[in-house]
Amino acid sequence: MAQKAADVLSVRITQDDMEGYMSLRIPEDGTKYDFNTVMTMMNAKGIRYGVKENVVREMIEKEQYNRERLVAVGVASQDGIDGFFQLNFNVDFNCRPTVRADGSVDYWNIHVVEIVEEGQVIAIYHEPITGSNGMGVSGKPKTCKRGRPLPPMTGRGFTRSEDGKLYIADVTGKIEKNGNRIQISPVYEVYGNVDLKTGNIDFRGDVLIHGNVTTGSEIHATGTVTVDGIVEAAIIEADKDIVLRGGVLGKGKAVISSKSNISAKFIEYATVKAEGFLEASSALDCDIEVHDKILMSSLNSTIVGGNVYAARGIELYNCGNDSEVHTVLQVGMDKVMAAEVVRLQNIVREKRGMLDKINLGLKQIEELAVTKGVDISKDERRLGLLRAKISTQADLAKGQEELDYYNTIIDSSKGATVAITNQVYPGVMVIIDNIAAHVKDVQHSVQFILREGHVIMIPVEF
């Protein structure tokens, strides 16, 4: 048979190189094609792998001409799977209370501490799956993506099994994950009230109180503080969040202070300070300072009485009452904060001046030593200046850090407003950037904004 390949058959290969199709032409001399010849011609025309020989034979034997059939199927590559850690603890915390369908607020679902038990398997490492290469019908390999291993997790408070796959808690405590690092820290947990029997608490870590914090008690923590019961006339200070599920009955003596956020069911007769946000259902006759926002916009939430400041804004449902109790709401720039900025600027300026003088003195001593050729390594004047330099640098760094913090608050407070979605009563005074406005009549759904040097009311934007 002298027919050329182009006259004997035609082939079609799919774009993904995974299927090859062939059709045979009617032989010129009326004889059947030779199987080996057809296979050779298919190879020459690009179908070289995964050939279904039985289909080719059938096409030849049954004289299936001018009919395209699938004659080759490639093997797809199977991508590998990277190694991964199966975590047996929660890493998605709900740090904010949720509003129920009836408009009330659920403070019990706030989750800021994840506790694991000693001996608990906290994570399981799954090895990567390598994957397998494939082959197209044209004979070209299809390379798979190889599964990559992960480095072991680092941290403290846990042990790895010998095969490196199991991570087991060494202690009972709070677990935190930051990137590839896990840390389990001790937690101070009180199954009852904090009172004279328990004594005051000063703890490096998180504190969980399952009862009340009674009058006169103090809690100081470098982590979070969570109280299930009522806080009376007590002091609570935390470097992280404070969650008060039962609220505060402060009797005018309670102090609640957080370097992060505060959430409370209610707050009465207390002094409250948060460098983050404050969220509560009500505040009665409190002194409140918040460097972020105050969020009390859930159904029936209210502020009545007291002095309330939030740098970035206040969102309320109600404010004041029919008795026209004097209530001050302040946002934006604060006089006290502005004065603090000026004080810190003066400190930074003074410390920089002192540092320049110290450096000049050190330079003069060193130059004199070079001129006279003497060793000044133990010179008392030089050592005294070096000690003063270290102390001054520390004071400068601290002052600059505080100044930067307050400048950040001031920058973020620009454009702050007070929004009240329901009613605001006479007796309420709203201050924005130290400009005051007095509410003289009951208003409904209003937003207080600063415009052209005056605090005005506009309809609240939902």
Side-chain angles (χ1 to χ4, degrees), residues 63-303:
E63 300 181 4
Q64 296 175 346
Y65 304 134
N66 297 328
R67 174 186 169 190
E68 187 178 74
R69 292 194 62 184
L70 176 67
V71 294
V73 177
V75 175
S77 63
Q78 298 292 326
D79 286 341
I81 299 175
D82 293 342
F84 67 96
F85 289 99
Q86 174 189 330
L87 302 179
N88 296 332
F89 59 92
N90 186 20
V91 293
D92 297 318
F93 288 167
N94 177 22
C95 298
R96 298 279 303 276
T98 57
V99 179
R100 300 186 182 97
D102 62 2
S104 61
V105 180
D106 179 8
Y107 288 91
W108 284 93
N109 71 355
I110 300 175
H111 188 68
V112 294
V113 179
E114 177 77 359
I115 302 295
V116 294
E117 301 292 330
E118 180 182 354
Q120 177 180 334
V121 176
I122 58 175
I124 303 172
Y125 178 63
H126 294 267
E127 296 283 357
I129 298 174
T130 304
S132 59
N133 293 326
M135 187 73 73
V137 296
S138 66
K140 296 179 181 178
K142 291 183 171 293
T143 305
C144 71
K145 176 185 175 183
R146 301 293 179 183
R148 297 175 299 177
L150 290 179
M153 287 194 287
T154 61
R156 64 183 183 182
F158 62 86
T159 302
R160 290 174 60 202
S161 60
E162 290 186 6
D163 60 7
K165 294 182 180 180
L166 300 182
Y167 290 70
I168 303 166
D170 291 336
V171 295
T172 296
K174 174 190 177 183
I175 188 167
E176 294 178 289
K177 184 176 184 294
N178 184 11
N180 195 46
R181 181 178 175 81
I182 288 178
Q183 179 170 312
I184 302 176
S185 306
V187 173
Y188 194 106
E189 197 163 6
V190 178
Y191 292 92
N193 297 335
V194 175
D195 50 26
L196 291 175
K197 293 181 180 178
T198 60
N200 295 332
I201 297 172
D202 190 349
F203 187 68
R204 295 187 60 82
D206 297 282
V207 176
L208 299 177
I209 309 299
H210 297 293
N212 302 325
V213 181
T214 62
T215 296
S217 301
E218 295 188 17
I219 298 175
H220 303 271
T222 60
T224 63
V225 174
T226 303
V227 181
D228 290 344
I230 298 293
V231 177
E232 298 176 358
I235 296 175
I236 299 179
E237 295 179 342
D239 287 352
K240 296 185 179 179
D241 289 355
I242 295 177
V243 178
L244 309 176
R245 305 187 197 278
V248 182
L249 293 173
K251 304 175 185 177
K253 296 180 180 180
V255 177
I256 312 296
S257 178
S258 167
K259 292 183 179 179
S260 186
N261 309 309
I262 296 176
S263 298
K265 187 174 183 180
F266 61 84
I267 308 171
E268 297 183 5
Y269 308 105
T271 298
V272 179
K273 182 174 182 178
E275 293 185 11
F277 66 79
L278 167 66
E279 189 151 3
S281 293
S282 66
L284 175 62
D285 202 11
C286 294
D287 286 324
I288 299 174
E289 179 184 340
V290 173
H291 293 170
D292 197 323
K293 282 188 172 184
I294 290 176
L295 305 171
M296 299 176 64
S297 54
S298 60
L299 188 64
N300 295 323
S301 63
T302 185
I303 291 179

